[in-house]
Amino acid sequence: MDSETEDVLGAVGPRLRALRRDRGITLAGLAATTGVSESTLSRLESGQRRATLELLLPLARAYDVPLDDLVGAPRTGDPRIHLKPMRRFGMVFVPLSRRPGGTQAFKMIIPARPEPLEPTPQTHEGFEWVYVLSGRLRLVLGEHDLTMSAGETAEFDTSLPHWLGSADGGAVELLILFGLQGVRAHVRAAPRRPPRGQIGR
């Protein structure tokens, strides 16, 4: 087996673990959906079990992703990224990053509705950074109930009960960076220039 194939197969486990955590699915829940035992799924994610077609096909169906994306097989000769939107909870998620593990980037689209939805807060492991591109976002975070407009940013620990939705029933577009626990977005501003005449003092 050549080194490129070894690298692809070696990255499957971390990619599967990141995908499962991003979806908020437990090993027990995934085992019930796929018919693959929890111990096999755990060993597959940790790299102790080699990925086979027999194991990957039910996982691809459970996650509703192409097998190529699950394996992360490199595309040769074409540098373009082929974005494949996913629909979850009535919203559209467009993955903007393909690297397994680490911080994941998404564009999220909340479609317009005649009436805004009632919040149904959820919790999961990780940390999230949100930037509103357009529309008015309603962010329910613990005891806070916030309305955010285009250009506003929020970051929070996803172990707190949280919910994202439209504040007024209109469409909302936002960028989301999601990382595992302890991974946070860092924003750096340009250094301030000292007032004229104070340089060197």
Side-chain angles (χ1 to χ4, degrees), residues 126-132 137 139 141 144 146 148 152-158 160 162 164 175-178 182-187:
F127 207 87
E128 203 157 283
W129 181 90
V130 175
Y131 178 84
V132 181
L137 175 72
L139 169 62
L141 179 64
H144 301 284
L146 309 169
M148 299 172 56
E152 291 192 289
T153 303
E155 61 175 356
F156 53 90
D157 187 329
T158 55
L160 291 172
H162 61 282
L164 303 173
L175 293 178
I176 294 179
L177 297 181
F178 173 79
V183 179
R184 301 184 60 172
H186 298 279
V187 180

Side-chain angles (χ1 to χ4, degrees), residues 66 69 75 77-85 94-98:
D69 285 2
R75 293 181 174 91
D78 188 350
R80 295 173 297 176
I81 296 175
H82 300 271
L83 305 177
K84 294 178 180 168
V94 182
L96 303 177
S97 59
R98 296 178 57 85

Side-chain angles (χ1 to χ4, degrees), residues 1-12 50 71-77:
M1 187 178 296
D2 60 47
S3 60
E4 184 178 2
T5 303
E6 286 283 359
D7 290 343
V8 169
L9 292 177
V12 170
R50 183 172 294 280
V71 177
R75 293 181 174 91
T76 57

Side-chain angles (χ1 to χ4, degrees), residues 50-78:
R50 183 172 294 280
T52 64
L53 194 59
E54 182 181 5
L55 293 173
L56 293 177
L57 280 175
L59 289 171
R61 285 194 294 267
Y63 291 130
D64 193 25
V65 297
L67 190 60
D68 284 352
D69 285 2
L70 204 61
V71 177
R75 293 181 174 91
T76 57
D78 188 350

Side-chain angles (χ1 to χ4, degrees), residues 10-90:
V12 170
R15 180 177 289 105
L16 291 174
R17 180 184 291 112
L19 182 59
R20 178 176 60 79
R21 289 177 174 175
D22 175 56
R23 300 287 180 90
I25 302 173
T26 64
L27 280 172
L30 188 59
T33 302
T34 61
V36 181
S37 70
E38 285 186 59
S39 60
T40 298
L41 291 171
S42 178
R43 285 186 287 126
L44 186 61
E45 289 185 356
S46 66
Q48 297 175 0
R49 175 73 180 263
R50 183 172 294 280
T52 64
L53 194 59
E54 182 181 5
L55 293 173
L56 293 177
L57 280 175
L59 289 171
R61 285 194 294 267
Y63 291 130
D64 193 25
V65 297
L67 190 60
D68 284 352
D69 285 2
L70 204 61
V71 177
R75 293 181 174 91
T76 57
D78 188 350
R80 295 173 297 176
I81 296 175
H82 300 271
L83 305 177
K84 294 178 180 168
M86 303 176 293
R87 292 187 175 275
R88 294 173 57 201
F89 314 116

Side-chain angles (χ1 to χ4, degrees), residues 157-200:
D157 187 329
T158 55
S159 64
L160 291 172
H162 61 282
W163 179 84
L164 303 173
S166 174
D168 55 13
V172 185
E173 293 189 9
L174 53 149
L175 293 178
I176 294 179
L177 297 181
F178 173 79
L180 299 180
Q181 195 65 34
V183 179
R184 301 184 60 172
H186 298 279
V187 180
R188 293 187 178 181
R192 292 180 57 190
R193 293 184 178 181
R196 193 172 290 181
Q198 292 187 8
I199 299 178

